Amino acid sequence: MFFLAFAAATTSIAALLLHLAGFTRMPYTLSFVTLPGMVILLGIRIRAGHAGRDTIVQRLSAGFVGGILGLGAYNLVRWIIGLILAADLSPFYSIYIFGSLITGQTPDSSLSILFGWAYHISNGITFAIIYALFAGAARWHYGLLWGLALEVAMLAIYPSSTLLRPPALMPFVTISLVAHASYGVAIGLYVQRRCSLPAKAVLR
């Protein structure tokens, strides 16, 4: 059940990676891989609750809430640093590109923005769930390391991608680095606190 939950959580980012690798376009992957993966993840949460698998339920719940908190920190930091740097590049430009890849419309269209944000939220929550599944009550600084690992992975992909390459690399790296660090700290602190409590005491 643990590894099935992990596999289901990875289907969100898999949609983008498979698109960039040229295997299949995001609309198809989201429909036939990611959406079923999210249904499976929800099913695991329900099934684990009925089966008394309190630790899995606790970690899935901690990852979900931690992901929401992490997204809040991530997006707030991106917006603030974007204002400080007064960069021409929107701090959320990649989100609009995600939406464009999904909808086939221009990045500035309302539909692209809507779907881009929805996909961004999906990734933020599932990355936090993956962290919570493996880290549990580990100290919060492992969350920071997780956020920085996501940053390294992004820097390995974005500059070499014709679809996602930022027009201005240094502002992009500065904004992204601090945002991912903030995301990691937020999920690390919450997941540590939530998973440090006895599972049954938290869930019942």
Side-chain angles (χ1 to χ4, degrees):
M1 191 175 288
F2 176 93
F3 288 103
L4 181 58
F6 164 72
T10 63
T11 59
S12 182
I13 189 59
L16 176 63
L17 297 179
L18 290 172
H19 185 111
L20 296 178
F23 287 111
T24 183
R25 294 178 61 243
M26 284 186 73
Y28 302 110
T29 316
L30 289 171
S31 299
F32 300 109
V33 178
T34 303
L35 184 58
M38 298 304 100
V39 173
I40 290 172
L41 200 57
L42 177 60
I44 291 172
R45 168 62 179 82
I46 296 171
R47 174 60 181 165
H50 291 323
R53 300 288 297 273
D54 294 334
T55 299
I56 291 181
V57 175
Q58 183 188 53
R59 295 190 180 191
L60 289 175
S61 299
F64 180 82
V65 177
I68 294 173
L69 296 174
L71 280 166
Y74 178 92
N75 293 321
L76 179 62
V77 166
R78 288 188 78 94
W79 178 69
I80 290 174
I81 296 181
L83 289 178
I84 293 173
L85 294 180
D88 294 333
L89 174 68
S90 168
F92 304 112
Y93 93 98
S94 58
I95 295 175
Y96 307 147
I97 293 179
F98 295 157
S100 179
L101 295 177
I102 295 169
T103 65
Q105 298 186 13
T106 59
D108 59 350
S109 73
S110 298
L111 201 59
S112 292
I113 293 172
L114 175 63
F115 275 86
W117 275 101
Y119 183 66
H120 171 63
I121 292 170
S122 172
N123 279 342
I125 291 176
T126 52
F127 278 136
I129 287 175
I130 291 170
Y131 171 79
L133 285 171
F134 284 95
R139 295 293 297 270
W140 66 268
H141 56 257
Y142 287 102
L144 172 60
L145 293 177
W146 177 236
L148 294 178
L150 295 176
E151 170 70 11
V152 171
M154 192 182 69
L155 291 178
I157 296 171
Y158 278 39
S160 60
S161 170
T162 55
L163 296 174
L164 297 174
R165 184 184 299 124
L169 186 59
M170 286 310 298
F172 169 79
V173 172
T174 301
I175 294 171
S176 179
L177 177 61
V178 181
H180 275 105
S182 302
Y183 170 82
V185 169
I187 66 171
L189 286 170
Y190 181 80
V191 171
Q192 178 189 346
R193 178 180 177 277
R194 180 72 180 267
C195 293
S196 294
L197 298 173
K200 290 185 178 181
V202 173
L203 299 172
R204 301 179 183 213

